[in-house]
């Protein structure tokens, strides 16, 4: 499984992804799901991938080949983020079509070549943004009311995003929130795991931004996990107790009202 997320705030963009592609008792694979393009002073784009690995690898390979061969349409020539999303969505549909006719051996489940992507960044002349590209090739942009996007195993990491993130959230706070969201997901689902990658882009810099990889034993990741857990427990213990009425007291009160 996978968990990737992107956050858009006034100060910039934050991307985060896990790297686990296969979880089991005897075998775990890792593969980077974060791919960066541009950062040349004119544009910077980051692609997060979720779903079938053959499809997502094929999409990224095609994107990089188009850039190397200076294809007429590629991520370094599209006019805006919407055109970039249309381009990636079209490639994804083509890659899925290659694999859709492939059938597994007898007794196994049907092969599903679907993949989803989050594409975000900024192209000069356009505002920063993030787009969720669906397996069908269509896409939606994050809104002001919901300034984050998720793909993969989304449910465990969503509550913290809902409570913390809005357009005025600082870039530093957005990064911490993204990493807490990732850690919450890894804690609740063994198919999501490290290394954890994150990328931070500041609005209107058109640079490659800051990219970092946190291994499983990374000191910051361990500290974040420990202190978040301790603070949650403290907050829980400080919550007011719910009112409790003994059953016999309720019965007495009702009988008095009926007299």
């Amino acid at each position: 499984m996978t968990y990737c997320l992107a956050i858009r705030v006034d100060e910039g963009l934050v991307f985060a992804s896990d790297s686990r592609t296969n979880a089991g008792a005897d075998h775990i694979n890792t593969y980077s799901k974060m791919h960066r393009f541009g950062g040349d002073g004119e544009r910077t784009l980051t692609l997060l991938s979720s779903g079938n690995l053959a499809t997502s690898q094929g999409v990224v390979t095609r994107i990089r080949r188009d850039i190397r061969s200076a294809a007429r349409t590629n991520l370094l020539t599209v006019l805006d983020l919407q055109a970039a999303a249309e381009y990636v969505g079209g490639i994804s549909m083509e890659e899925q079509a290659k694999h859709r006719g492939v059938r597994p051996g007898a007794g196994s489940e049907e092969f599903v070549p679907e993949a989803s992507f989050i594409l975000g960044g900024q192209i000069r002349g356009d505002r920063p943004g993030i787009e969720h590209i669906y397996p069908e090739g269509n896409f939606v942009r994050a809104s002001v009311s919901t300034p984050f996007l998720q793909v993969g195993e989304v449910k465990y990491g969503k509550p913290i995003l809902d409570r913390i993130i809005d357009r005025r959230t600082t870039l530093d706070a957005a990064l911490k929130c993204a990493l807490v969201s990732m850690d919450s997901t890894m804690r609740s689902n063994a198919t999501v795991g490290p290394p954890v990658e994150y990328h931070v882009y500041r609005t209107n810099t058109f640079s490659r931004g800051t990219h970092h990889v946190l291994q499983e034993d990374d000191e910051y990741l361990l500290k974040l996990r420990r202190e978040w857990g301790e603070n949650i427990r403290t907050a829980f213990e400080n919550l007011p107790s719910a009112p409790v009425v003994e059953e016999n007291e309720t019965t007495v009160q009702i009988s008095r009202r009926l007299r």
Side-chain angles (χ1 to χ4, degrees):
M1 198 54 170
T2 295
Y3 181 45
C4 300
L5 72 152
I7 299 171
R8 184 192 68 177
V9 294
D10 287 346
E11 290 186 6
L13 306 172
V14 172
F15 304 87
S17 61
D18 82 310
S19 301
R20 186 162 293 178
T21 58
N22 183 35
D26 302 317
H27 192 61
I28 296 177
N29 289 328
T30 61
Y31 173 75
S32 175
K33 303 163 189 175
M34 180 180 295
H35 314 277
R36 298 182 298 151
F37 306 90
D40 55 0
E42 290 297 320
R43 67 187 63 207
T44 180
L45 296 167
T46 299
L47 183 70
L48 307 177
S49 60
S50 171
N52 180 262
L53 188 58
T55 297
S56 59
Q57 284 182 330
V59 170
V60 173
T61 298
R62 168 76 178 275
I63 291 172
R64 296 194 185 282
R65 185 170 66 240
D66 285 352
I67 291 174
R68 287 196 307 270
S69 63
R72 182 175 181 179
T73 301
N74 65 68
L75 279 187
L76 302 186
T77 63
V78 291
L79 294 178
D80 52 33
L81 192 60
Q82 179 174 334
E86 291 175 350
Y87 165 74
V88 173
I91 294 177
S92 177
M93 292 287 288
E94 293 175 8
E95 289 297 320
Q96 290 178 63
K98 290 181 183 179
H99 303 298
R100 203 172 298 280
V102 178
R103 291 292 180 267
S108 58
E109 296 181 359
E110 183 177 355
F111 179 73
V112 180
E114 293 183 350
S116 298
F117 301 89
I118 294 176
L119 176 67
Q122 184 177 19
I123 296 174
R124 190 169 293 279
D126 196 10
R127 294 177 298 174
I130 49 177
E131 308 271 3
H132 182 178
I133 305 170
Y134 295 95
E136 295 78 13
N138 57 328
F139 54 90
V140 296
R141 176 170 287 198
S143 65
V144 173
S145 60
T146 308
F148 62 85
L149 295 172
Q150 303 165 279
V151 291
E153 191 60 66
V154 304
K155 56 184 177 291
Y156 301 110
K158 189 172 186 293
I160 181 65
L161 299 173
D162 285 331
R163 289 181 179 273
I164 299 297
I165 299 298
D166 63 39
R167 57 185 294 269
R168 295 173 298 276
T169 304
T170 66
L171 209 51
D172 178 66
L175 174 59
K176 285 192 292 185
C177 190
L179 293 176
V180 169
S181 176
M182 181 64 67
D183 181 71
S184 298
T185 304
M186 292 191 296
R187 183 177 180 84
S188 297
N189 191 319
T191 67
V192 177
V196 173
E197 289 187 72
Y198 67 81
H199 176 220
V200 180
Y201 168 75
R202 191 169 294 277
T203 298
N204 293 332
T205 59
F206 302 98
S207 67
R208 290 183 63 80
T210 300
H211 175 256
H212 199 62
V213 180
L214 302 176
Q215 301 295 334
E216 186 172 11
D217 59 351
D218 183 272
E219 182 178 349
Y220 174 74
L221 189 60
L222 294 175
K223 182 178 181 181
L224 183 79
R225 179 176 302 157
R226 181 178 64 254
E227 294 193 6
W228 175 244
E230 292 172 353
N231 287 331
I232 286 180
R233 183 171 294 277
T234 299
F236 175 78
E237 292 172 351
N238 289 335
L239 289 174
S241 298
V244 177
V245 179
E246 297 293 337
E247 186 175 352
N248 58 345
E249 292 180 5
T250 304
T251 303
V252 171
Q253 292 170 0
I254 293 174
S255 63
R256 286 177 178 173
R257 288 198 297 269
L258 293 176
R259 289 178 183 177

